[in-house]
Amino acid sequence: MEGIIAIWQRDLKKFFRDRARLLGSFSMPILFLLIFGGGLSGTMETMMSGGFGEESSGFNYLEFIFPGIVAMTLLMTAIFSAMSVIEDKNFGYMKEILVSPISRVSIAVGKMLGAATVSTIQGMILFLLIPFLGLSYSIISLIQVIPFMFLLGAALSGVGLLFASMIKSTQGFQLIVQIIVMPMIFLSGALFPINNMPSWLDVIVKFNPVTYGVDVMKKIMIDVDSLSQAVRETMGLNLTVFGRSVSVFEEILFILAFAIVFVAIATISFKRAHA
């Protein structure tokens, strides 16, 4: 346990000391907020009011995508945090850890917890933008979503750790991860509804863990019950799997299972890669 805590603390210290990384990590989320929130909000809200009239009076497109932007921040931070494993190997730090009494399982778990904590902190920092964006999420909903943010960050860090254990260069890691990250973002419902997609894309959507992460965050942060059934259907707020609506509890169970499986696989791969 001491080894896990030591590695977790090291990753946190690196995060807070690297101001360029701290500031740079917000460039993509803010860019998406400006492009999608500022550029498409008027169009989307006009379309909704034209199609549903008074039924869409409670719809705010920026409120719809903000939880998705937070989930996108969690995804990118959690996965790219695993790149420190490759950097530690290149600078020789990993060799020092491997000859220490710390088990390799503890190293992997410590890295996973560090990435989950860092991603959660960065997601929470985005909450500071809420007043400036004119959004009205309740304090209770923001507090309730934080534990789930940590769980989602832990699950996604397992994906990053798995690739980091198999790839030797940071350039190769960045290339492979970018290919994976962008489809996970755009096929999650973070920025636009995922209804009525082709069947082959719909399969990817339903196996994408970010889909369930985004849906849970929207259902916690947004007052979905205040929206009409037609608006919820149009904006993809009634997620179904095999024609059956899934509950928040079921989605959390899926994310938890995904986290356990991927962290276990990443740990095994990590042990073999450094055997």
Side-chain angles (χ1 to χ4, degrees):
M1 181 60 70
E2 292 181 359
I4 294 175
I5 295 175
I7 294 173
W8 171 73
Q9 289 179 335
R10 177 178 179 267
D11 282 356
L12 283 183
K13 289 179 180 179
K14 287 178 62 179
F15 167 69
F16 285 112
R17 290 174 181 174
D18 192 350
R19 295 182 180 178
R21 175 187 171 190
L22 178 62
L23 296 175
S25 62
F26 295 110
S27 58
M28 186 67 73
I30 292 176
L31 182 63
F32 273 77
L33 276 173
L34 291 175
I35 293 176
F36 284 90
L40 294 180
S41 59
T43 301
M44 292 295 294
E45 291 171 13
T46 300
M47 180 186 70
M48 295 296 290
S49 62
F52 300 104
E54 293 183 358
E55 290 185 1
S56 64
S57 58
F59 177 75
N60 184 328
Y61 180 69
L62 192 56
E63 187 178 75
F64 169 81
I65 68 168
F66 185 79
I69 297 294
V70 175
M72 182 182 75
T73 303
L74 294 173
L75 169 65
M76 299 183 68
T77 305
I79 290 184
F80 278 102
S81 292
M83 191 166 61
S84 64
V85 172
I86 301 174
E87 295 173 346
D88 289 342
K89 288 189 292 185
N90 293 339
F91 287 104
Y93 178 78
M94 187 60 65
K95 292 181 180 179
E96 297 179 7
I97 298 180
L98 292 175
V99 298
S100 69
I102 303 175
S103 70
R104 291 168 185 178
V105 175
S106 296
I107 296 171
V109 173
K111 286 288 185 183
M112 179 268 293
L113 292 178
T117 304
V118 168
S119 62
T120 302
I121 292 173
Q122 291 196 310
M124 290 172 60
I125 293 175
L126 283 180
F127 291 168
L128 299 176
L129 298 176
I130 291 176
F132 302 100
L133 295 173
L135 302 177
S136 58
Y137 301 112
S138 69
I139 299 297
I140 295 176
S141 66
L142 296 181
I143 294 174
Q144 288 176 336
V145 82
I146 291 174
F148 178 75
M149 289 167 59
F150 184 86
L151 174 61
L152 183 60
L156 298 173
S157 68
V159 178
L161 189 60
L162 176 60
F163 283 101
S165 67
M166 299 185 295
I167 300 173
K168 296 182 179 180
S169 68
T170 56
Q171 294 84 355
F173 179 85
Q174 290 176 334
L175 178 62
I176 296 298
V177 168
Q178 284 285 4
I179 296 174
I180 296 172
V181 165
M182 298 314 293
M184 290 179 74
I185 293 173
F186 287 110
L187 296 177
S188 66
L191 304 173
F192 50 81
I194 50 176
N195 297 344
N196 303 318
M197 285 193 169
S199 57
W200 65 275
L201 271 181
D202 190 60
V203 172
I204 299 175
V205 166
K206 297 306 167 55
F207 278 98
N208 181 7
V210 186
T211 299
Y212 303 97
V214 169
D215 193 62
V216 170
M217 292 182 65
K218 286 181 178 179
K219 288 177 179 176
I220 293 176
M221 297 175 66
I222 301 174
D223 186 10
V224 176
D225 293 335
S226 67
L227 301 175
S228 68
Q229 179 68 21
V231 172
R232 292 200 299 267
E233 289 287 347
T234 301
M235 299 311 298
L237 295 174
N238 288 336
L239 185 64
T240 59
V241 177
F242 300 117
R244 176 181 172 275
S245 297
V246 292
S247 65
V248 170
F249 179 72
E250 292 171 333
E251 291 175 308
I252 293 175
L253 286 181
F254 176 84
I255 296 295
L256 178 61
F258 184 91
I260 293 172
V261 170
F262 260 81
V263 170
I265 295 174
T267 302
I268 294 171
S269 177
F270 186 85
K271 291 173 64 176
R272 290 178 178 176
H274 299 88

